[in-house]
Amino acid sequence: MADKQLADSLRKQAKAVRKELLTMIHTAGSGHPGGSLSAADIMTALYFHELNIRPEEPRWDGRDRMVLSKGHVCPVLYTCLGLRGYFDREVLGTLRKEGSILQGHPDMKRCPGVDISTGSLGQGISAAVGMALRAKRDQMNYRVFVLLGDGESQEGQVWEAVETAAKYGLDNLILIVDNNGLQNDGSCDMVMPTGDLAEKFSAFGCKSYRIDGHSMDQILDVLDEIRGKQDGRPKCIVAKTVKGKGVSFMENVAAWHGMAPDDSQYEAALRDVEEGISCSLIM
């Protein structure tokens, strides 16, 4: 069972992450709030608890790798990196500006803490498999975490990568699916149904888990369960989430996939996050 003090601390941190990423997107006038908000609790648990990283030494070879395969939700990644000290917090105000290290999709050559440049959906997980394979080959202990979108899982390349991970017994690879049910053009079921993702990843050789992706207790419990589990199988956590989580008028609305709030919407969004106004998540 998750430690109550730790879970409470991470819930408070996740609130700060949501506020900061909303501010970034509002300041930039563009960005992807919906998926950034749905992934905020998971990313907070990873960056402020689980990942073995050194912000002062971003390229330390023994670090855990984090691959944001759904690269368009980089505001949540940049926020976690900034708050962890990979760069000055003031840089967060430069999202998408010319010359900024914080581009519209993660750039490993510009931004400290970005382990691979992503944005073309389906490619991040393939790079992550290579990272995990290298760790096995060189007998290194780092793990590789990947955040995937459920819409992204419509890409055939995802499944080729998972097959490869299973073939080589990459139990140091942890896939996390942000299962918010929506993508740019509408619901995932309408665009291209993916079926039961936990069963599908299991069929491709993963050990799969289902959680509420907004329950910090469940997030911590599953991370505790899989930590150090060397069973020859990649892990897949299918996290049921709400797109736009934490902002009442953004929740479960596909239009907020890639739209910045105006001034009044921004103020309302910050109030919602602060007050904890949100729809309930039905598993």
Side-chain angles (χ1 to χ4, degrees):
M1 182 177 292
D3 178 85
K4 184 179 184 303
Q5 185 175 0
L6 172 62
D8 286 345
S9 174
L10 290 171
R11 278 189 280 269
K12 182 178 180 181
Q13 185 65 60
K15 181 181 286 191
V17 167
R18 283 188 165 90
K19 288 180 178 179
E20 192 66 58
L21 72 86
L22 285 165
T23 300
M24 292 174 66
I25 294 170
H26 173 255
T27 300
S30 65
H32 294 80
S36 294
L37 290 165
S38 66
D41 299 299
I42 293 164
M43 292 289 281
T44 298
L46 291 177
Y47 273 95
F48 295 89
H49 172 64
E50 188 65 20
L51 293 175
N52 181 25
I53 51 179
R54 296 177 182 174
E56 73 283 0
E57 192 180 350
R59 292 299 176 189
W60 170 48
D61 205 24
R63 72 190 184 282
D64 287 340
R65 273 62 169 173
M66 173 62 211
V67 175
L68 188 68
S69 198
K70 47 180 294 182
H72 55 280
V73 304
C74 56
V76 70
L77 171 62
Y78 295 154
T79 297
C80 290
L81 293 175
L83 297 183
R84 276 304 313 266
Y86 279 88
F87 45 80
D88 290 340
R89 186 168 177 173
E90 292 74 21
V91 175
L92 293 173
T94 69
L95 175 67
R96 291 178 168 243
K97 291 185 178 179
E98 185 175 357
S100 172
I101 65 171
L102 308 182
Q103 290 299 301
H105 291 81
D107 186 340
M108 64 183 296
K109 293 184 178 180
R110 294 188 185 213
C111 184
V114 173
D115 287 313
I116 190 71
S117 302
T118 55
S120 184
L121 296 177
Q123 293 187 0
I125 182 175
S126 297
V129 168
M131 295 174 187
L133 187 59
R134 181 258 174 160
K136 289 289 187 182
R137 183 198 65 186
D138 292 352
Q139 298 182 333
M140 300 187 72
N141 293 323
Y142 68 77
R143 296 176 295 165
V144 183
F145 292 80
V146 188
L147 185 68
L148 291 156
D150 47 4
E152 180 181 9
S153 298
Q154 296 160 352
E155 295 278 356
Q157 184 171 351
V158 168
W159 304 103
E160 294 176 8
V162 176
E163 282 184 317
T164 303
K167 169 183 169 61
Y168 290 103
L170 302 183
D171 50 19
N172 56 343
L173 180 69
I174 300 96
L175 313 175
I176 305 174
V177 182
D178 183 10
N179 187 197
N180 63 38
L182 294 174
Q183 57 192 101
N184 189 45
D185 295 322
S187 73
C188 295
D189 285 342
M190 181 272 292
V191 176
M192 181 59 68
T194 54
D196 187 318
L197 285 170
E199 287 189 3
K200 186 177 288 188
F201 277 96
S202 293
F204 274 74
C206 293
K207 171 63 176 173
S208 295
Y209 305 82
R210 303 176 194 266
I211 66 166
D212 175 345
H214 301 305
S215 166
M216 196 58 71
D217 292 323
Q218 290 188 33
I219 295 169
L220 294 175
D221 283 344
V222 75
L223 291 174
D224 284 345
E225 181 175 348
I226 66 177
R227 191 181 303 115
K229 199 167 191 176
Q230 298 180 344
D231 57 2
R233 300 175 70 185
K235 313 301 183 294
C236 179
I237 302 168
V238 178
K240 183 60 181 173
T241 59
V242 173
K243 196 161 189 127
K245 179 67 174 177
V247 178
S248 59
F249 59 87
M250 291 187 183
E251 290 186 348
N252 289 318
V253 178
W256 287 104
H257 174 86
M259 180 170 63
D262 62 24
D263 291 346
S264 62
Q265 290 168 331
Y266 168 65
E267 294 298 332
L270 291 185
R271 286 196 298 271
D272 279 3
V273 172
E274 180 58 35
E275 297 171 9
I277 297 174
S278 173
C279 71
S280 60
L281 175 61
I282 300 175
M283 291 291 288

